[in-house]
Amino acid sequence: MSAGRWLRRHAVEGRHTAARLVCFPHAGGTAAAFQGWPARLPADVETLVVQYPGRQDRIGEPCIEDMREMADRVTAELLDRCDVPLVLFGHSMGSGLAYEVARRLERDHGTAVSRLFVSARTAPHHVHGEKRHLLSDEDLVASMRSLGGPDAEVYDHPQLLPLILPPLRADLRLLDAYRPERAGLPRIQAPVTACGGDSDHTCPTADLALWEELTTAGAEVRIYPGGHHFLRTHEADVAGVVSKHLLTLVQTRGDTTHGPS
């Protein structure tokens, strides 16, 4: 099955797909952010990573600056991939997008994802006051540097900024315009696991529990050492939690498929 322009596919050739994990990168991010994940997951799990337009091999395409359009487009790409249990994982901007995709699949297509993992982002109906897309280039770079993490060094190369800043600014404009009312977002049926860094000033650990307001199936919170980009330094730990859930899905599906011996 071709993954198309929107999805980057990682799967073990010749293996039956028992479950799918769909990953949503952060603002300004690319599918490469999750390139190490497939090796940490069960072999019969297909990993799909969303590649947003306006960067890398999609650099010639216009960026999308509206959450509704972005979620609609990604949802459409996933419709023929709901034949096995689907798990979504979003980091930072990807958290809100993953939630919006989950609720579209459920509301419009009758497909509830197995679990929604969100990372480094307050529940969208509690975010307010951000206007980062209006920052000057200098201030925007300084803001991104303040988040730390291994990706901060990319801003040390001025020749890369014309490639990096336009999609980043577009993603921030999408986020800054995404302001759902606190009473306006429906609860999804999927349970939620909210992950965060204990020193992430953009998402205080107490905010992670607010995701429970967006699910009827309960939410759990997992805290890791680090700031906004704790996911890069604790990839093995976080992917291990996701892998454990996926393994349970795979085993359950296998039992259901084969039936009693």
Side-chain angles (χ1 to χ4, degrees):
M1 180 186 296
S2 173
R5 292 180 303 150
W6 278 87
L7 302 171
R8 299 296 170 266
R9 177 177 180 268
H10 302 278
V12 178
E13 295 300 328
R15 293 295 298 267
H16 171 71
T17 298
R20 288 190 174 93
L21 171 68
V22 185
C23 300
F24 299 75
H26 55 282
T30 70
F34 291 92
Q35 64 184 358
W37 281 56
R40 303 184 186 279
L41 303 175
D44 40 6
V45 169
E46 181 182 68
T47 304
L48 300 171
V49 186
V50 179
Q51 181 77 307
Y52 308 133
R55 64 213 74 194
Q56 288 190 333
D57 56 343
R58 301 190 68 187
I59 196 168
E61 302 177 45
C63 296
I64 293 177
E65 300 178 354
D66 179 76
M67 177 65 86
R68 289 171 295 182
E69 180 182 355
M70 184 81 86
D72 287 345
R73 297 289 294 276
V74 176
T75 301
E77 293 293 323
L78 293 176
L79 290 182
D80 62 351
R81 294 174 170 84
C82 298
D83 55 317
V84 295
L86 205 61
V87 174
L88 308 185
F89 186 104
H91 181 67
S92 195
M93 180 185 87
S95 296
L97 179 56
Y99 162 77
E100 289 290 344
V101 170
R103 78 182 187 95
R104 280 163 171 73
L105 287 171
E106 185 176 304
R107 179 194 66 194
D108 301 333
H109 306 284
T111 298
V113 302
S114 175
R115 180 171 287 269
L116 171 64
F117 287 88
V118 295
S119 171
R121 187 71 177 169
T122 301
H125 58 311
H126 283 277
V127 177
H128 56 85
E130 294 177 311
K131 296 292 182 183
R132 291 171 297 170
H133 73 280
L134 298 176
L135 294 174
S136 68
D137 286 356
E138 181 180 1
D139 289 342
L140 182 56
V141 167
S143 177
M144 293 301 105
R145 286 182 185 277
S146 73
L147 299 179
D151 292 335
E153 63 186 28
V154 72
Y155 297 102
D156 294 335
H157 304 281
Q159 70 276 16
L160 296 179
L161 296 184
L163 299 176
I164 297 170
L165 293 187
L168 170 62
R169 196 178 294 279
D171 290 349
L172 294 177
R173 187 176 290 111
L174 177 152
L175 280 176
D176 291 346
Y178 178 49
R179 290 291 176 272
E181 296 293 331
R182 292 195 176 194
L185 286 185
R187 293 174 179 249
I188 59 174
Q189 297 177 26
V192 174
T193 297
C195 306
D198 61 4
S199 57
D200 182 1
H201 67 272
T202 73
C203 178
T205 55
D207 285 5
L208 295 171
L210 297 173
W211 281 94
E212 188 168 13
E213 298 175 4
L214 297 182
T215 172
T216 61
E220 64 172 356
V221 172
R222 291 180 176 268
I223 308 299
Y224 299 86
H228 189 67
H229 290 293
F230 75 92
L231 188 60
R232 291 292 301 275
T233 51
H234 293 278
E235 179 179 282
D237 296 329
V238 179
V241 172
V242 178
S243 181
K244 184 177 180 180
H245 174 69
L246 287 165
L247 186 59
T248 300
L249 289 179
V250 169
Q251 292 172 341
T252 301
R253 182 173 174 80
D255 294 340
T256 302
T257 301
H258 297 297
S261 57

